[in-house]
């Protein structure tokens, strides 16, 4: 037990001695490290001082060089400024010498001016004296003349003026009369010359439209398909288009008869499509007719656009362009309305150019002068076409000169511009040439239109077509509004109305058609 204690104590003492020795050794190493660090620091400081001195010397040298460069530039600037100042001083001296010479010259001119003033004043005094002498001499002469003639100066002046007035009036009247006669002769010659030149420069056609179109067929076998079983196809075509279809012994041809050229064209194109397609039955006929009517409306707008482009007319309202296109399918006394309006527009343009007026405005008025003949609604038919056309032109923003020319070309309103008589004259030139119009055809077409209008005046009428050259009126009614008994009554009432209100040759047959359809869809 005692041995263990001794060993423990010895170990503790050994550890303490080792620890003390380790501390002493560590302290010696630290002192040595600190001494080395101080040496290194002193060396670094010494090197830094050397490098700083070197950098300082370089910076001072660079600063001196920069200073010398700036000083040289400054000296150059100062030299340039001195040079400019010297030039400015030279220019100033030159200006001063020039001003001095100008002042000397002005002084000399002023002296001359003063001398001239004195001379003028001297001459003015002499003239005043001579004027007074002349007046005294004139008065003495007038007094002597008064004594000799026995008249005072005022009386003599009055007599002289009266004599001069009479002479001047007589001469003026003679001159005026000669001038008027010459002006009338010249005006008539010029007017004839302008009209003749205008007519000669416009190419015209003399073709007159009729009321019949011929539809050519490839073979007579197609006629049976067009007629259909018990004539149902041909009846469907006539009911849908309002055109009478005449199938006779004429080889490879069918005649389409109608006074309305639009209906004839719709029927012709529809037949062409049906024959080309091969499917001909009532339902297909109605479908094709509707598509064709839409195509004709598009074609009307295209015709109007081409017409205004050909004539060089710009800025026309789209509704007026459509009205121009509809003219192709209208006639005036047998003369195609679009052809007539184009002709009048060209005549107006040439005549306006000859008279020094605006030819484009004249063309515009000439083209639109008959747009009232293609009414947009049936209620507008009662208004005279010139007034109706003027109202449309005003509605769609045309100029006052154009509107007045349209409304006044049949003297229904007063003419206010030179354009109006030009349009009137050109309208007469276009319509009066041989072969241009036929009065009978126009009255015939008007009678057929009146027949249809009478039918539309009754309740329940859906469509009305005048066929057989006006000898038959075919009326299609709505089955929901008109029953069978009412249809018979309606036929009688229409015939009585025609007999009372119209004058016509022969007889007019009134046929009322009431068709009932029941449609169901199988799904």
């Amino acid at each position: 037990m005692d041995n263990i204690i001794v060993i423990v104590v010895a170990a503790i003492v050994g550890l303490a001695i080792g620890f003390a020795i380790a501390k002493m050794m560590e302290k010696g190493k630290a002192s040595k490290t600190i001494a080395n660090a101080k040496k290194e620091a002193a060396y670094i400081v010494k090197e830094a001082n050397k490098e700083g001195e070197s950098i300082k010397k370089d910076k001072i040298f660079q600063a001196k060089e920069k200073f010398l460069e700036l000083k040289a530039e400054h000296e150059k600037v100062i030299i340039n400024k001195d040079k400019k100042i010297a030039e400015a001083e030279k220019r100033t001296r030159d200006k001063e010498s020039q001003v001095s010479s100008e002042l000397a010259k002005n002084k000399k001119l002023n002296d001359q001016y003063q001398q001239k003033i004195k001379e003028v004043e001297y001459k003015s005094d002499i003239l005043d004296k001579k004027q007074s002498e002349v007046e005294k001499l004139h008065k003495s002469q007038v007094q002597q003349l008064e004594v000799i003639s026995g008249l005072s100066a005022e009386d003599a002046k009055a007599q002289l003026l009266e004599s001069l007035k009479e002479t001047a009036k007589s001469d003026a009247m003679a001159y005026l009369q000669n001038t008027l006669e010459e002006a009338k002769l010249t005006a008539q010659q010029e007017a004839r010359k302008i009209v003749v030149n205008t007519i000669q420069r416009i190419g015209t056609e003399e073709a007159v439209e009729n009321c019949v179109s011929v539809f050519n067929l490839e073979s007579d076998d197609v006629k049976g398909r067009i007629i259909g079983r018990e004539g149902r196809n041909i009846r469907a075509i006539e009911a849908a288009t309002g055109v009478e279809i005449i199938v006779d012994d004429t080889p490879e041809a069918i005649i389409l008869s109608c006074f309305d050229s639009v209906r004839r064209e719709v029927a012709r194109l529809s037949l062409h499509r049906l024959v080309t397609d091969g499917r001909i039955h009532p339902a297909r006929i109605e479908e094709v007719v509707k598509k064709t009517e839409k195509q004709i409306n598009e074609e009307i707008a295209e015709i109007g656009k081409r017409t205004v482009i050909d004539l060089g007319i710009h800025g026309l309202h789209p509704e007026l362009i459509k009205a121009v296109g509809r003219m192709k399918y209208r006639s005036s006394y047998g003369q195609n309305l679009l052809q007539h309006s184009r002709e009048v527009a060209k005549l107006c343009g040439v005549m306006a150019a000859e008279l020094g007026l605006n030819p484009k405005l004249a063309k515009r008025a000439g083209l639109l002068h008959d747009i009232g003949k293609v009414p947009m609604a049936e209620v507008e038919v009662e208004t005279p076409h010139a007034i109706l056309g003027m109202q449309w032109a005003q509605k769609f923003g045309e100029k006052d000169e154009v509107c007045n020319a349209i409304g006044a070309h049949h003297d229904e309103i007063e003419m206010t511009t030179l354009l109006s008589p030009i349009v009137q004259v050109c309208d007469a030139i276009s319509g009066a040439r041989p072969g241009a119009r036929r009065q009978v055809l126009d009255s015939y077409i008007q009678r057929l239109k009146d027949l249809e209008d009478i039918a539309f005046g009754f309740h329940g009428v859906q469509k009305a077509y005048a066929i057989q050259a006006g000898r038959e009126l075919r009326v299609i009614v709505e089955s929901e509004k008109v029953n069978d008994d009412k249809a018979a009554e309606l036929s009688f009432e229409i015939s009585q109305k025609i007999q009372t209100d119209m004058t016509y040759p022969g007889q007019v047959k009134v046929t009322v058609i009431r068709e009932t359809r029941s449609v169901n869809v199988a799904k």
Side-chain angles (χ1 to χ4, degrees):
M1 186 69 177
D2 293 333
N3 290 332
I4 293 170
I5 293 170
V6 172
I7 291 168
V8 170
V9 171
I12 292 169
V13 172
L15 287 171
I17 293 169
F19 181 75
I21 292 169
K23 283 290 185 181
M24 290 176 68
M25 290 177 68
E26 185 178 353
K27 187 175 180 181
K29 287 181 181 179
S31 298
K32 188 176 181 180
T33 302
I34 289 169
N36 291 333
K38 285 181 178 180
K39 288 181 181 179
E40 289 180 2
Y43 177 76
I44 290 169
V45 170
K46 184 177 180 181
E47 291 295 325
N49 289 332
K50 287 181 181 180
E51 188 174 354
E53 289 295 330
S54 175
I55 292 171
K56 182 178 179 182
K57 288 179 181 179
D58 292 339
K59 292 296 182 181
I60 291 171
F61 181 72
Q62 290 176 3
K64 286 181 179 180
E65 287 184 347
K66 188 68 174 177
F67 174 74
L68 292 174
E69 289 178 0
L70 293 173
K71 183 178 179 183
E73 291 178 359
H74 181 65
E75 288 175 352
K76 287 181 181 178
V77 171
I78 291 173
I79 291 169
N80 289 333
K81 286 184 178 179
D82 291 342
K83 186 177 180 180
K84 289 181 181 178
I85 291 170
E87 291 175 354
E89 289 177 351
K90 183 181 179 183
R91 286 197 299 271
T92 304
R93 286 194 297 270
D94 293 341
K95 290 288 184 183
E96 287 176 353
S97 62
Q98 186 177 354
V99 169
S100 299
S101 63
E102 291 290 336
L103 287 173
K105 191 183 294 183
N106 288 337
K107 185 178 179 182
K108 184 178 179 181
L109 291 173
N110 189 34
D111 293 340
Q112 293 176 357
Y113 175 69
Q114 294 297 332
Q115 184 65 28
K116 291 288 184 183
I117 289 175
K118 289 179 181 180
E119 292 177 0
V120 169
E121 289 176 352
Y122 176 73
K123 290 180 180 179
S124 178
D125 293 338
I126 294 174
L127 287 174
D128 290 341
K129 291 177 182 180
K130 288 185 178 181
Q131 182 68 25
S132 61
E133 291 176 1
V134 169
E135 287 178 357
K136 289 177 182 180
L137 182 61
H138 177 68
K139 286 180 181 179
S140 65
Q141 288 178 350
V142 169
Q143 289 173 358
Q144 290 177 6
L145 288 173
E146 287 177 355
V147 171
I148 294 170
S149 64
L151 293 173
S152 66
E154 295 298 327
D155 294 337
K157 188 185 295 183
Q159 288 184 6
L160 179 62
L161 288 174
E162 190 66 26
S163 175
L164 290 174
K165 282 182 182 178
E166 291 297 330
T167 305
K169 187 182 293 184
S170 177
D171 293 342
M173 289 300 294
Y175 178 75
L176 182 61
Q177 188 68 24
N178 292 333
T179 304
L180 286 175
E181 292 297 330
E182 185 180 354
K184 287 180 181 179
L185 181 61
T186 306
Q188 290 176 358
Q189 291 175 349
E190 288 296 322
R192 291 192 189 100
K193 179 181 176 183
I194 290 172
V195 172
V196 171
N197 287 341
T198 302
I199 294 173
Q200 288 175 343
R201 290 171 61 183
I202 301 298
T204 57
E205 299 177 7
E206 296 186 1
V208 179
E209 290 199 346
N210 52 37
C211 297
V212 175
S213 297
V214 177
F215 180 73
N216 295 314
L217 303 173
E218 294 181 358
S219 65
D220 288 337
D221 297 338
V222 184
K223 287 184 179 180
R225 297 172 58 195
I226 292 176
I227 295 171
R229 183 182 303 172
E230 297 177 356
R232 64 174 186 173
N233 289 345
I234 198 168
R235 285 198 302 272
I237 296 172
E238 290 179 344
T241 61
V243 175
E244 182 182 5
I245 300 178
I246 302 172
V247 182
D248 54 14
D249 295 336
T250 306
E252 298 180 357
I254 291 178
I255 298 174
L256 308 178
S257 175
C258 180
F259 71 94
D260 191 332
S261 54
V262 178
R263 293 187 202 166
R264 287 206 315 273
E265 185 66 12
V266 169
R268 189 187 67 80
L269 291 176
S270 300
L271 273 175
H272 178 72
R273 287 186 175 183
L274 290 168
V275 170
T276 304
D277 183 43
R279 294 177 294 165
I280 306 176
H281 53 81
R284 177 64 178 166
I285 289 169
E286 291 182 359
E287 179 186 352
V288 169
V289 168
K290 288 181 180 178
K291 289 182 179 179
T292 306
E293 288 176 349
K294 183 179 178 182
Q295 177 187 344
I296 290 294
N297 290 330
E298 294 174 353
E299 184 180 345
I300 284 172
E302 186 62 29
I303 290 169
K305 290 179 183 177
R306 287 202 304 268
T307 301
V308 297
I309 290 172
D310 290 344
L311 293 174
I313 297 172
H314 304 287
L316 205 63
H317 194 278
E319 290 298 328
L320 294 180
I321 292 177
K322 290 180 182 177
V324 171
R326 286 199 298 272
M327 288 182 184
K328 180 182 178 182
Y329 300 102
R330 296 291 185 271
S331 61
S332 176
Y333 297 99
Q335 184 183 25
N336 182 272
L337 191 58
L338 179 59
Q339 177 186 329
H340 166 65
S341 297
R342 287 173 64 100
E343 189 175 314
V344 172
K346 292 177 181 178
L347 288 166
C348 288
V350 175
M351 195 171 289
E354 291 289 339
L355 295 172
L357 302 177
N358 187 344
K360 291 187 177 180
L361 203 63
K363 280 186 179 181
R364 198 182 193 95
L367 179 65
L368 299 178
H369 81 283
D370 269 348
I371 56 171
K373 290 186 177 180
V374 284
M376 298 179 182
E378 293 298 329
V379 294
E380 296 177 339
V381 175
E382 298 178 358
T383 307
H385 76 273
I387 303 299
L388 183 59
M390 181 184 69
Q391 292 172 356
W392 288 357
Q394 290 173 343
K395 178 181 178 182
F396 297 121
E398 291 297 317
K399 293 184 178 180
D400 293 337
E401 298 95 320
V402 175
C403 296
N404 182 258
I406 296 171
H409 78 276
H410 285 312
D411 294 322
E412 286 164 325
I413 63 171
E414 183 181 358
M415 296 183 181
T416 58
T417 65
L418 287 175
L419 207 61
S420 302
I422 291 176
V423 173
Q424 186 182 53
V425 169
C426 294
D427 180 41
I429 291 172
S430 174
R433 57 185 174 78
R437 294 183 172 184
R438 277 213 304 260
Q439 179 73 29
V440 177
L441 180 60
D442 189 73
S443 60
Y444 159 71
I445 291 174
Q446 186 61 43
R447 178 164 61 86
L448 298 186
K449 288 182 178 179
D450 292 341
L451 275 175
E452 294 182 354
D453 291 341
I454 286 176
F456 279 117
F458 288 87
H459 178 71
V461 175
Q462 184 179 14
K463 297 177 182 178
Y465 302 122
I467 60 176
Q468 294 285 350
R471 292 189 295 273
E472 180 179 352
L473 178 63
R474 186 164 295 178
V475 182
I476 301 173
V477 297
E478 299 179 25
S479 59
E480 296 84 1
K481 297 180 180 179
V482 181
N483 55 27
D484 290 338
D485 295 335
K486 183 65 177 175
E489 182 182 347
L490 183 63
S491 175
F492 175 76
E493 290 177 355
I494 293 175
S495 64
Q496 293 299 311
K497 181 75 171 176
I498 294 171
Q499 186 174 341
T500 304
D501 295 352
M502 291 188 64
T503 302
Y504 51 90
Q507 297 178 343
V508 178
K509 177 183 177 182
V510 179
T511 304
V512 176
I513 300 173
R514 178 179 179 271
E515 184 180 21
T516 304
R517 296 185 185 183
S518 299
V519 180
N520 289 292
V521 179
K523 298 181 180 178

